[in-house]
C-alpha cells in the first residue's frame, strides 16, 4: 500500500505554490539502522509506482532483502499531486507547470525529512525516471553515489520535443478536451495520442518482426487498440498527461539553480558513478544523445541495450533487456 | 501548364468505377521520334507535379534536352481525380480507395494510349513516388528498363502503417472533420497532423543540429508552424490526404494481380535494373527495409543516401543529397 508524504506548501521552480502538495510513494525492503541502503527509483511518464516492480526482487540488483527501495510517484501522475486530484484553484486546467527539479526536490524532502537518509547508494529510472535520476545527481551531488539512467536523458532533445508535440496536438485536437475543462473524457483525443505514441514506443524492427504477437496481441490493429489505446484509456487523465508532458519537454539539468542553462556544466558537476543505458533502437532517446551526455560526466560509462525493443527495452516486458539492465545494476552496485 | 488526360470510366482494383476519371500531368522536354526517351516520375504524398522539378534540369540526369520526363499527379493529390474535385456520388467522404496498382494503371494508359510509348528507360520517385516506381516495374516488367526508387518501399511496413495511423488519428480527432463531410476546414486536425508528421520527416540528428535554421526557420517552434503547419494548410484537403494515406498504408507490390499477396515473388519478377536509395536516417522507410527488397530483385543495387536529413533527403532541399541522387541516376541511365 502506497503512502503519502505531505509536502505542505510546496513552492515550484516556476513560482507557483502548490498548497497541501502530496508525494505518494511505495517502499520495498527495510531501511538499515545506519540508513545506508536506500535506493530511489522514480516513475516514468504516466507510470505508477507498481509499474516499477518488475526490476525489484530477490536475487536481482534491487533486492529488497538488501536494499530499501523508495519509488516516488512523479508529480502529475495521478497519485502524487496532479491536476486530477488537486482542489481549486490549482486544479485541472490550472495545474501549474512542474519541472524535473521540482520533482526531485519533493523526493529529496521525503528522503531527508521523513526518512533521515543522507546518502543514496543508487538512483535509477526509465525514461522520465532517467531524467529524474540525472536531476538527482545534479541537484544533490554529495548525496548520490551512483546513477543508472536508462532510456532517458539529461535534457529533452529538440527531436524529442517534436515527438511530444505530436502527442499533445493529437490529444488536444479533440473538441471534448475543452482546453482542460472537459466534462466528459476526450477519448477520441486519448486514442489519437495513443496511435501517435505507438509508432515511437517500439522500433521499426520490432514491428517488422511482429513482436507484438509475443506480447499476446493477435494483429497489428489489436496491438494498437489492445495495448496502446488501452494504455491511454487506463485512467490516464488528459490534464495529468499534459502536466507530465510539459515536465518532459522542459527537462534540462542545466536549468538547475546555479547552472544558468548550462547543461554541460551541470553534467560535469555530477559526482556519482554512472552507467548510462540507452536502447539501441530507441526512437526518441537515441544512443547518440546519451553518448554526448556521458562525455560530459566525469565518471560515466555508456552501455547500450542491444536489440529491437526500442524505448520499451526499459519497461520490463522483454526478459533479455531486463537481464541486461539488472546485470549492469549489479555491477554498478558492486563498485 | 499541366495537362489532363481523360481516363473515362476507370475501374479501380477495389471494384469501384471512377467515372470521368482524370489524370493530370506535366511533361518536360520532347518525346523523341522513336519514342525511346520517356521517363516517368510520379509524385509523392500530397506533392504536386511542380514539387518534382528540383531533380529536372540541364546538366542533370533528368535533362529535358535529352529526355521526355512525364510527371503524373497521384490520384487523390487534388490535381488528378480526388475527393476534392470529384462530383457526387463519389465525392469527398465517399471517394473510393485507390491502390498503387490503380495509380500505375492510370499512368500506363497515359503513357501508352496517349503518347504511344512502349519502353521506359527509367521510372523513379521519392517516397510514395518510390512506391509507384516499384509498382511500375512489377505491373509492366517488359516496359520498364530501369528504376530508381528513393526513400520509399515496395510494401508499406507495419511500422510505417503505425506512423500513418498517428497522422490519421490526429487529423480526424478534430470534430470539424465530421467523418469527411466538413463544412469548414478541420484546421485543428490538420495542424495536429502536421505536428505528428514533423517528428518523422527529419531525423533526430537533423533536429539536434538545428538544421531547420538552414532552411530559414528562426526556432524550433517557427519550423513547426512555418514549415509543417504551413505545409498541411497549403490547400491540402483532408479527404485527399486520407485517400493518399490509404493508398500508402495498403501499398504492396504483392497485391498486383497474379501475385496473390506474395511480395517476394513480385519483386523477383522485376526485369528493370534498379538502384534503390533509402536515406540513412529515414525514420519510416529505414534502409533495412530496402536491403530486404534488394535481396529479392534480380538486378538491384542498394545505395544508401548518407547524412541526417532523414526522409527529406529525397525532397531536394539539401544540395548534397540531391547530388547523391542525381549522380546515381546518371550512372543508372548510362548502363
Amino acid at each position: 500500500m502506497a503512502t503519502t508524504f505531505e509536502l505542505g506548501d510546496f513552492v515550484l521552480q516556476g513560482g507557483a505554490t502548490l498548497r497541501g502538495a502530496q508525494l505518494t510513494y511505495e517502499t520495498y525492503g527495510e531501511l538499515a539502522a545506519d540508513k545506508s541502503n536506500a535506493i530511489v527509483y522514480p516513475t516514468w511518464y504516466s507510470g505508477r509506482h507498481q509499474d516499477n516492480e518488475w526490476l525489484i526482487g530477490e536475487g536481482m540488483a534491487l533486492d529488497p532483502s538488501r536494499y530499501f527501495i523508495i519509488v516516488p510517484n512523479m508529480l502529475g501522475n495521478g497519485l502524487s499531486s496532479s491536476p486530477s486530484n488537486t482542489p481549486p484553484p490549482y486544479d485541472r486546467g490550472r495545474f501549474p507547470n512542474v519541472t524535473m527539479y521540482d520533482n526531485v526536490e519533493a523526493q529529496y524532502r521525503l528522503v531527508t525529512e521523513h526518512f533521515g537518509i543522507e546518502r543514496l547508494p543508487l538512483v535509477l529510472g526509465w525514461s522520465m525516471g532517467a531524467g529524474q535520476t540525472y536531476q538527482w545527481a545534479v541537484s544533490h551531488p554529495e548525496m548520490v553515489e551512483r546513477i543508472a539512467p536508462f532510456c532517458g536523458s539529461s535534457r529533452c532533445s529538440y527531436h524529442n520535443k517534436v515527438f511530444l508535440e505530436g502527442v499533445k496536438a493529437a490529444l488536444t485536437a479533440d473538441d471534448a478536451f475543452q482546453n482542460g475543462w472537459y466534462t466528459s473524457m476526450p477519448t477520441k483525443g486519448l486514442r489519437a495520442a495513443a496511435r501517435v505514441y505507438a509508432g515511437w514506443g517500439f522500433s521499426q524492427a520490432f514491428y517488422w518482426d511482429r513482436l507484438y504477437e509475443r506480447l499476446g496481441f493477435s494483429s497489428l490493429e489489436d496491438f494498437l487498440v489492445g495495448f496502446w489505446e488501452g494504455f491511454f484509456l487506463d485512467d490516464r487523465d488528459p490534464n495529468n498527461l499534459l502536466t507530465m508532458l510539459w515536465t518532459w519537454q522542459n527537462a534540462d539539468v542545466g536549468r538547475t539553480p546555479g547552472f544558468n542553462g548550462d547543461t554541460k556544466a551541470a553534467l560535469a558537476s555530477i559526482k556519482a558513478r554512472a552507467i548510462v543505458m540507452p536502447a539501441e533502437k530507441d526512437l526518441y532517446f537515441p544512443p547518440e544523445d546519451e553518448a554526448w551526455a556521458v562525455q560530459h560526466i566525469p565518471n560515466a560509462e555508456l552501455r547500450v541495450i542491444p536489440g529491437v525493443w526500442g524505448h520499451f527495452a526499459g519497461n520490463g516486458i522483454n526478459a533479455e533487456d531486463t537481464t541486461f539492465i539488472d546485470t549492469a545494476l549489479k555491477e554498478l552496485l558492486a563498485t
Side-chain angles (χ1 to χ4, degrees), chain A residues 116-150:
Chain A
I117 294 165
E118 291 177 359
R119 301 281 291 175
L120 292 169
L122 177 65
V123 180
L124 78 160
W126 176 53
S127 198
M128 283 187 81
Q132 292 165 81
T133 298
Y134 275 117
Q135 186 62 55
W136 259 103
V138 171
S139 289
H140 303 288
E142 304 297 343
M143 187 168 176
V144 180
E145 294 170 350
R146 296 172 194 80
I147 57 170
F150 47 101

Side-chain angles (χ1 to χ4, degrees), chain A residues 8-26:
Chain A
D9 290 355
F10 188 64
V11 181
L12 298 166
Q13 211 179 0
T17 297
L18 213 46
R19 292 172 181 83
Q22 300 188 315
L23 183 67
T24 298
Y25 64 95
E26 184 56 282

Side-chain angles (χ1 to χ4, degrees), chain A residues 25-31 37 39 41 48-54 56-57 62-72:
Chain A
Y25 64 95
E26 184 56 282
T27 64
Y28 305 84
E30 306 283 329
L31 183 58
N37 69 334
I39 289 174
Y41 181 14
R48 295 132 188 170
H49 58 269
Q50 58 269 33
D51 297 318
N52 278 4
E53 291 177 0
W54 59 273
I56 300 170
L62 304 192
D63 190 330
S65 71
R66 183 162 176 195
Y67 292 105
F68 179 61
I69 302 140
I70 305 166
V71 179

Side-chain angles (χ1 to χ4, degrees), chain A residues 287-303:
Chain A
E288 304 90 285
D289 298 11
E290 294 317 281
W292 175 86
V294 161
Q295 277 175 31
H296 299 289
I297 303 173
N299 190 6
E301 178 197 338
L302 181 75
R303 201 176 286 194

Side-chain angles (χ1 to χ4, degrees), chain A residues 34 49 74 82 104 132 172 180 270 275 300 306 327:
Chain A
D34 65 358
H49 58 269
M74 196 162 46
S82 302
V104 169
Q132 292 165 81
T172 59
I270 293 177
I275 295 185
T327 302

